[in-house]
Amino acid sequence: MNNFLAKTLSSINALVAIVILVVATLSGATAASAQGGSGMFVIGAVFGAVAGLIFAALICGTIALLVMIERHLSIIAEATKRPQ
């Protein structure tokens, strides 16, 4: 059951990263457009995308690292159970 949950978390993690990136990009573009007119839309989108990428890397990267550690530990546990 734990292995299934780890695999599910890994799949959901990728979707969450994409959602974070899209929301941050649209949020930055909308905020910049409201402040400085339509010409600021692209600049806001770029800054929003960079901020979203950093945030997604911190949050989703940490989750991905923990899932990867779990996979390696399960491989090591399986190897110790098998007779040599």
Side-chain angles (χ1 to χ4, degrees), residues 57-81:
L58 289 174
I59 301 301
C60 297
T62 302
I63 293 171
L65 182 64
L66 291 173
V67 168
M68 187 177 68
I69 289 170
E70 187 277 331
R71 284 185 185 157
H72 286 118
L73 288 175
S74 66
I75 291 171
I76 292 170
E78 288 287 324
T80 58
K81 289 180 183 177

Side-chain angles (χ1 to χ4, degrees), residues 24-33 39-49:
T25 302
L26 292 176
S27 179
T30 304
S33 178
M40 296 295 289
F41 183 83
V42 175
I43 295 171
V46 170
F47 281 121

Side-chain angles (χ1 to χ4, degrees), residues 6-25:
K7 287 181 181 178
T8 304
L9 178 63
S10 178
S11 300
I12 293 173
N13 189 36
L15 294 174
V16 170
I18 292 170
V19 169
I20 289 172
L21 188 59
V22 168
V23 168
T25 302

